Amino acid sequence: MRIVIQRVSHASVTIEGKVKSKIGKGYLILLGIESSDTEEDIDWLVKKVIGLRVFDDENGVMNLPITEVDGEIIVVSQFTLMASYKKGNRPSWIRAAKHEISIPLYETFCTRLSEALGKPVGTGEFGADMKVELLNDGPVTICMDTHNKE
């Protein structure tokens, strides 16, 4: 699994002109899933995301996790994160998991992240053409890959 976490002042996902999810301060997370990913990868990512200390404390130092700032999260499925671009200029999506693997893992990731956060997590819609808006705060953008944990 590969994620891109962006610390945001606000973010939203719109599908066919209707807002599906909207948050204030928190994270917009783009999630890419490949065929070899498992629930073990989900558990590792959830722990990392919830424990990530990138919100300012009283001294203006990035020292607080999302749970201490009453932050919110939106998770958007993003198969293009699995792009292979080594040959030529047209990306290959061969590493991206098929729907029968990726949809259950996406839903499980969102559920476990919501449980760890202690509130609902906003989502996009798997396979939909989504318009994602955000105001990146910082900017703070962090990439994580469960196949590169060290």
Side-chain angles (χ1 to χ4, degrees):
M1 286 184 165
R2 183 174 292 162
I3 62 174
V4 175
I5 303 169
Q6 297 180 84
R7 186 181 75 180
V8 298
S9 296
H10 60 84
S12 65
V13 177
T14 302
I15 303 167
E16 295 182 3
K18 294 182 182 175
V19 175
K20 168 89 165 73
S21 297
K22 184 176 183 177
I23 63 167
K25 177 168 62 173
Y27 295 144
L28 170 69
I29 298 177
L30 306 176
L31 172 66
I33 300 169
E34 62 182 280
S35 299
S36 62
D37 291 331
T38 66
E39 290 193 22
E40 227 175 74
D41 295 305
I42 291 171
D43 293 338
W44 185 84
L45 279 176
V46 167
K47 184 177 178 182
K48 283 298 211 183
V49 168
I50 293 299
L52 193 62
R53 296 177 358 183
V54 296
F55 291 93
D56 291 350
D57 63 15
E58 64 279 356
N59 298 314
V61 176
M62 285 197 290
N63 198 31
L64 299 176
I66 192 165
T67 53
E68 290 189 34
V69 297
D70 196 32
E72 300 175 282
I73 298 175
I74 290 179
V75 180
V76 177
S77 60
Q78 185 79 42
F79 78 93
T80 61
L81 287 178
M82 306 318 292
S84 175
Y85 47 83
K86 303 229 185 239
K87 290 176 122 182
N89 293 317
R90 184 182 176 115
S92 166
W93 317 117
I94 196 135
R95 288 185 53 206
K98 303 218 179 307
H99 285 165
E100 57 270 11
I101 293 170
S102 54
I103 291 173
L105 288 175
Y106 170 77
E107 291 172 350
T108 300
F109 178 75
C110 292
T111 298
R112 290 192 185 159
L113 193 57
S114 177
E115 290 166 355
L117 185 63
K119 62 174 84 171
V121 167
T123 62
E125 183 177 307
F126 205 91
D129 180 22
M130 296 174 273
K131 307 302 178 203
V132 179
E133 290 188 55
L134 67 134
L135 180 58
N136 194 318
D137 180 16
V140 174
T141 302
I142 297 172
C143 301
M144 293 183 187
D145 191 323
T146 60
H147 298 280
N148 188 19
K149 293 178 183 172
E150 296 181 23

